[in-house]
Amino acid sequence: QVQLQESGPGLVKPSETLSLTCSVSGGSINPYFWGWIRQSPGKGLEWIAYMYYSGGTKYNPSLESRVSISLDVPKKQVSLKLRSVTAADTAVYYCARGSGLYHYHYYMDVWGKGTTVTVSS
Amino acid sequence: QSVLTQPPSVSAAPGQKVTISCSGISSNTGNSFVSWYQRLPGTAPKLLVYENVKRPSGIPDRFSGSRSATSATLDITGLQTGDEADYYCGTWDTSAGLYVFGSGTEVTVL
């Protein structure tokens, strides 16, 4: 049973960088996508980015200038960095495993429980 | 504001059926496969349906998906109290180049 566990600081100051890690247990990194989704208070789910196990990445255009995703295959960890955060980045951040042969097949079949990040001074 | 439109809430009595719609446009629901996710209170989202109609192992056939033109539908039959949750549709938007979610639908069992 694959399990995902997000970790990172619960509080980040405005203008700083939010850094989160997702640890994968009980399964292999390949041949999957590994990504991040968030949900801000009172809003819907927002897809942030994914990275394919072999290295390709895709970002939400609205966040692309501030976000980066990386994958440490030996450690089985996926990391997210979001720069220059503001209060609008306050959200529950989820890590998820993705599957699908092409973009239009894409779906997320395993999710972490999420970690709450608050941006405040 | 979500790209895909869902009703904010639906409700029915135990044992009955609810239908949740997900409306998009040609570049998302009209061109890409739709998935459905269930989020029970306080838990992580869970995949219910993928590629419009397929169910992952362990998902009961009470949950069924379909798609027609630019809309998708999730039917839940034999409604149970344990089905009370938020339900989201999702798909790839080929024009915008990102994965998009529906606005979410709260299912209440009366």
Side-chain angles (χ1 to χ4, degrees):
Chain A
Q1 182 87 354
V2 177
Q3 292 187 317
L4 309 181
Q5 179 67 59
E6 303 92 344
S7 59
L11 182 64
V12 182
K13 289 183 168 54
S15 81
E16 294 189 343
T17 296
L18 181 164
S19 296
L20 297 175
T21 299
C22 171
S23 298
V24 180
S25 61
S28 176
I29 288 289
N30 59 301
Y32 299 103
F33 298 85
W34 300 93
W36 293 90
I37 302 92
R38 70 181 182 180
Q39 184 163 27
S40 302
K43 295 192 176 180
L45 296 168
E46 180 181 31
W47 176 79
I48 299 172
Y50 71 51
M51 185 167 189
Y52 195 43
Y53 79 99
S54 59
T57 58
K58 192 76 174 174
Y59 295 103
N60 184 323
S62 70
L63 298 169
E64 190 166 11
S65 63
R66 299 193 292 130
V67 69
S68 60
I69 188 171
S70 60
L71 184 59
D72 188 325
V73 175
K75 288 187 176 180
K76 295 172 69 174
Q77 290 182 334
V78 191
S79 295
L80 177 76
K81 290 190 187 301
L82 181 63
R83 297 175 291 277
S84 304
V85 298
T86 69
D89 295 309
T90 294
V92 177
Y93 286 77
Y94 296 98
C95 171
R97 186 181 81 174
S99 295
L101 194 57
Y102 301 105
H103 286 144
Y104 54 84
H105 283 261
Y106 187 74
Y107 58 93
M108 288 159 277
D109 59 354
V110 182
W111 294 64
K113 293 182 179 180
T115 187
T116 301
V117 177
T118 301
V119 178
S120 174
S121 55
Chain B
Q1 187 169 351
S2 299
V3 173
L4 308 179
T5 302
Q6 298 179 231
S9 63
V10 296
S11 61
Q16 298 300 304
K17 171 185 171 181
V18 293
T19 296
I20 303 171
S21 59
C22 173
S23 179
I25 59 177
S26 59
S27 64
N28 44 60
T29 53
N31 245 339
S32 302
F33 288 103
V34 176
S35 303
W36 289 91
Y37 305 90
Q38 174 195 59
R39 193 174 63 191
L40 296 165
T43 70
K46 177 182 177 181
L47 179 68
L48 291 179
V49 170
Y50 66 102
E51 292 182 3
N52 299 335
V53 299
K54 297 179 181 178
R55 283 186 304 275
S57 172
I59 301 300
D61 59 6
R62 301 189 299 106
F63 297 91
S64 63
S66 62
R67 190 190 74 174
S68 177
T70 57
S71 289
T73 298
L74 176 72
D75 288 325
I76 309 174
T77 58
L79 201 61
Q80 302 175 0
T81 55
D83 296 333
E84 288 199 325
D86 293 326
Y87 292 80
Y88 297 88
C89 59
T91 190
W92 192 268
D93 190 306
T94 55
S95 176
L98 76 161
Y99 195 85
V100 293
F101 289 97
S103 44
T105 298
E106 181 181 19
V107 169
T108 300
V109 181
L110 301 173

